[in-house]
Amino acid sequence: MALIDVVMPQMGESIAEGTISKWHKKVGDKVAKDEILLEISTDKVDSEIPSPAGGVIAEILFPEQTTVAVHTVIARINSDVNASVTPSPVSTPEPALQQPQSVNSAVETASSKSAVSNGSLIDVVMPQMGESIAEGTITKWHKKVGDNVAKDETLLEISTDKVDSEIPSPAAGVVAEILFPEQTTVSVHTVIARISTSGQISVSPAKSAVAQTFSQSQTTIREPERVEAKVQLLKQEQTTSGRFYSPLVLNIARAEHISMSELEQIPGTGSGGRVSKKDILAYVEQKKSGKTVVPTSSSYQPSKPAPPITYPAGRVEIIKMDTMRRAIAEHMVRSKHTSPHVGSVSEADVTNIVKFRERYKTAFEKREGFKLTYTPFFLDAVVKALKDYPMLNSSVDGDNIIIRKDINLGVAVALDNGLIVPVIKNADQKNLVGLARSLNDLATRARSKKLVPDEVTGGTFTVTNPGGFGNLYGFPIINQPQVAILGVGAIKKRPVVIDDAIAIRSMVYISMSYDHRIIDGALGGLFMQKVVFYLENFDVNQAI
């Protein structure tokens, strides 16, 4: 018997996790190589993931709506198609931590006191929805403790900074435990519920860890009590300084016996001085090496809390950000924190391009099956300019400048609840028609959630199109770890002066934001003018 690991793919350079939104197979099912095995969601893309091999599903290690770190094994396939597989419950060891316990450890310890009679417990875990996603928020439970649930029936809904997803039940049975209430943010891979496959549940009267933490009665916490305990613990986890720590960071701190006061002294490289997983792991390694850990001046300094916002009664509507919107917000803030943005605006006469498109658009659509837009013309000009000025096709790593040899163009695609940036790989090897085909294919699959991980990673330069909404130009934010992003405005007919005569021409503004750490105004301006040159000198005699 050969077991093939199925791992959580990395859907983008900045993506650290992904959320399993749906399993298309269950344990014991046969699956063919490249057949759709599951769907995952990240803050960059929703994707259908094919099976890496043919065989029988031997193990599914994480249920739907679980957020899992990239490269983590999430399932195993037995390559023997005649194999017989019996599902077994996933065991969750009790955390060997000292009090005070976290919300996660206390609730999980409490759950270990519960027993399922004459059956097995199936863990439901928080899925990882993207590379950079370390946690997910439970927005709605569709079932309560004691309810029957069918396999693949929607059990709950979760939200991350990348996507909102409905999570199906990994097994049929009775909901035995719900470990976290709605609106609770939970680390990926954390058990959030358990399902009894026996159809009956019973709870022992042993004193739970949550009850111990709050000196409550020596009976198992009922669901409303568990919810309130969870909320109170969350409040206790935040420091009086107002500094926020994600559940993932708090779990690592507890496992490494790092006190809250010690955690306060760790320098944070995240947005607003937030301590990231990378920060705390680096601190742990330094501590284990025996070196003296001295807080630096970059350690988090709590700012004076902002005064509460007051609203006139009945005169406002409050809308909660969904997961994707929160993710976009975090990424944009991180980009502004990382790169000192400088902007430039130029204009180009694209009359020849407009006439060329008008001449060939009908024949092109009939031949290719999709419309010829203006975007490929701008992509073509950008590719040529990047060849002339490769510094714009680079990234920054500490004090090193990494100049990319491949030109991989990211193109922003608007979605109903946000945007995604699929990448045209090796754009410099494609002509105008090739760029148009790649763009149409990626944009179509982005809107239907059919992109694969490789298609949202590896971008070296990004183009966005605020002109598609009628805007003359915009001021885009750099897509990290790139160093520049170009915005294309709306094409408008305007009177312009040519050889001291007034003429009506099709004009467009192009804007660019770039990283002032390595790109100065002179280089940025030269690049912009080179893009203008290629737009204005478009070869109208080329075949299409």
Side-chain angles (χ1 to χ4, degrees):
M1 178 181 74
L3 289 179
I4 308 298
D5 288 341
V6 180
V7 300
M8 174 61 70
Q10 186 166 17
M11 303 294 287
E13 293 174 288
S14 63
I15 305 300
E17 59 197 14
T19 298
I20 301 170
S21 52
K22 182 178 181 181
W23 283 105
H24 285 245
K25 300 290 182 178
K26 62 181 183 295
V27 173
D29 284 354
K30 291 183 178 181
V31 64
K33 188 177 187 299
D34 295 329
E35 182 181 1
I36 299 302
L37 179 59
L38 74 155
E39 296 178 22
I40 67 171
S41 178
T42 73
D43 57 359
K44 299 289 186 185
V45 65
D46 295 340
S47 298
E48 294 179 340
I49 307 301
S51 175
V56 178
I57 307 300
E59 290 182 283
I60 290 179
L61 304 179
F62 298 95
E64 292 175 355
Q65 309 311 317
T66 300
T67 301
V68 185
V70 297
H71 311 313
T72 300
V73 177
I74 57 177
R76 291 187 174 91
I77 297 172
N78 187 345
S79 58
D80 180 3
V81 294
N82 297 315
S84 177
V85 179
T86 302
S88 59
V90 179
S91 61
T92 304
E94 290 191 25
L97 300 177
Q98 302 297 321
Q99 295 290 347
Q101 291 181 316
S102 69
V103 174
N104 292 352
S105 62
V107 173
E108 288 176 2
T109 303
S111 66
S112 68
K113 305 296 183 180
S114 300
V116 177
S117 61
N118 302 319
S120 59
L121 284 176
I122 305 298
D123 288 340
V124 180
V125 299
M126 175 62 70
Q128 186 168 16
M129 303 295 285
E131 294 174 281
S132 63
I133 306 300
E135 58 198 19
T137 300
I138 300 169
T139 54
K140 181 179 180 181
W141 283 103
H142 285 244
K143 299 290 182 178
K144 62 181 182 295
V145 173
D147 283 353
N148 290 321
V149 63
K151 188 178 187 302
D152 295 329
E153 182 181 1
T154 298
L155 180 60
L156 74 155
E157 296 177 22
I158 66 170
S159 178
T160 72
D161 57 359
K162 297 294 183 182
V163 66
D164 296 338
S165 298
E166 293 182 345
I167 306 302
S169 175
V174 176
V175 178
E177 292 183 283
I178 292 179
L179 304 179
F180 297 95
E182 294 177 357
Q183 308 309 320
T184 300
T185 300
V186 184
S187 300
V188 298
H189 313 315
T190 300
V191 177
I192 57 177
R194 290 187 174 92
I195 296 172
S196 168
T197 58
S198 69
Q200 293 184 352
I201 59 172
S202 62
V203 181
S204 67
K207 187 176 182 180
S208 69
V210 176
Q212 292 174 16
T213 303
F214 293 99
S215 302
Q216 295 175 345
S217 61
Q218 294 186 2
T219 58
T220 300
I221 295 179
R222 297 187 302 274
E223 200 57 32
E225 293 173 329
R226 188 190 301 278
V227 171
E228 180 61 25
K230 174 72 175 175
V231 171
Q232 294 301 323
L233 272 173
L234 281 172
K235 291 179 180 178
Q236 292 183 9
E237 288 293 351
Q238 310 308 317
T239 65
T240 56
S241 67
R243 192 183 196 189
F244 175 82
Y245 298 100
S246 71
L248 178 62
V249 169
L250 291 172
N251 285 339
I252 295 173
R254 282 185 293 273
E256 299 295 337
H257 304 290
I258 296 174
S259 67
M260 186 60 74
S261 59
E262 188 177 0
L263 191 60
E264 285 275 80
Q265 301 303 314
I266 298 177
T269 60
S271 176
R274 184 172 175 176
V275 175
S276 67
K277 176 183 176 182
K278 178 181 177 181
D279 296 330
I280 192 169
L281 289 180
Y283 179 84
V284 169
E285 287 301 314
Q286 186 179 9
K287 193 174 181 180
K288 287 181 177 179
S289 68
K291 297 178 181 179
T292 302
V293 182
V294 180
T296 66
S297 58
S298 61
S299 296
Y300 174 77
Q301 298 296 327
S303 59
K304 185 177 180 180
I309 300 175
T310 58
Y311 310 100
R315 304 302 301 167
V316 298
E317 178 185 3
I318 299 174
I319 301 174
K320 187 74 174 178
M321 284 187 185
D322 60 21
T323 303
M324 177 175 284
R325 179 50 51 192
R326 290 200 306 270
I328 292 173
E330 181 179 345
H331 292 168
M332 295 301 97
V333 170
R334 184 189 310 136
S335 181
K336 296 289 282 189
H337 179 76
T338 300
S339 300
H341 283 53
V342 177
S344 295
V345 179
S346 295
E347 65 175 345
D349 183 343
V350 292
T351 304
N352 289 339
I353 291 176
V354 171
K355 291 179 179 179
F356 181 88
R357 176 179 172 274
E358 286 297 318
R359 185 188 315 150
Y360 291 108
K361 68 178 183 179
T362 301
F364 181 91
E365 184 174 3
K366 184 176 181 181
R367 186 188 72 205
E368 299 292 337
F370 62 90
K371 293 181 179 181
L372 176 62
T373 67
Y374 287 113
T375 303
F377 295 91
F378 290 95
L379 299 181
D380 183 62
V382 167
V383 167
K384 293 173 181 176
L386 287 173
K387 291 179 180 179
D388 295 330
Y389 295 99
M391 186 67 78
L392 276 293
N393 196 56
S394 66
S395 59
V396 179
D397 182 14
D399 57 1
N400 294 321
I401 300 173
I402 313 299
I403 298 179
R404 312 285 184 171
K405 299 299 183 181
D406 298 321
I407 297 178
N408 301 328
L409 286 187
V411 184
V413 175
L415 304 177
D416 290 339
N417 61 335
L419 59 85
I420 193 170
V421 185
V423 178
I424 300 175
K425 299 294 178 66
N426 301 311
D428 53 320
Q429 299 176 22
K430 302 178 186 294
N431 60 14
L432 180 66
V433 175
L435 290 170
R437 289 170 179 166
S438 295
L439 175 62
N440 178 73
D441 173 60
L442 290 171
T444 299
R445 289 189 293 110
R447 295 185 178 109
S448 60
K449 300 183 178 181
K450 299 294 184 182
L451 291 175
V452 298
D454 185 60
E455 292 169 333
V456 292
T457 61
T460 60
F461 188 97
T462 295
V463 176
T464 185
N465 184 20
F469 305 98
N471 300 292
L472 291 180
Y473 54 85
F475 300 98
I477 296 177
I478 298 169
N479 187 17
Q480 298 296 326
Q482 299 164 28
V483 295
I485 179 172
L486 185 132
V488 178
I491 297 174
K492 301 283 187 181
K493 285 188 176 181
R494 296 203 308 271
V496 297
V497 177
I498 300 177
D499 296 329
D500 293 331
I502 296 176
I504 302 299
R505 308 292 288 180
S506 294
M507 305 296 293
V508 65
Y509 289 111
I510 57 173
S511 57
M512 187 173 73
S513 298
Y514 45 98
D515 191 334
H516 211 340
R517 290 179 298 175
I518 64 170
I519 303 174
D520 297 325
L523 177 58
L526 289 171
F527 174 82
M528 292 278 283
Q529 291 308 305
K530 187 61 72 170
V531 173
V532 171
F533 171 82
Y534 287 121
L535 290 172
E536 294 186 340
N537 291 275
F538 176 77
D539 182 8
V540 296
N541 297 314
Q542 64 177 291
I544 189 171

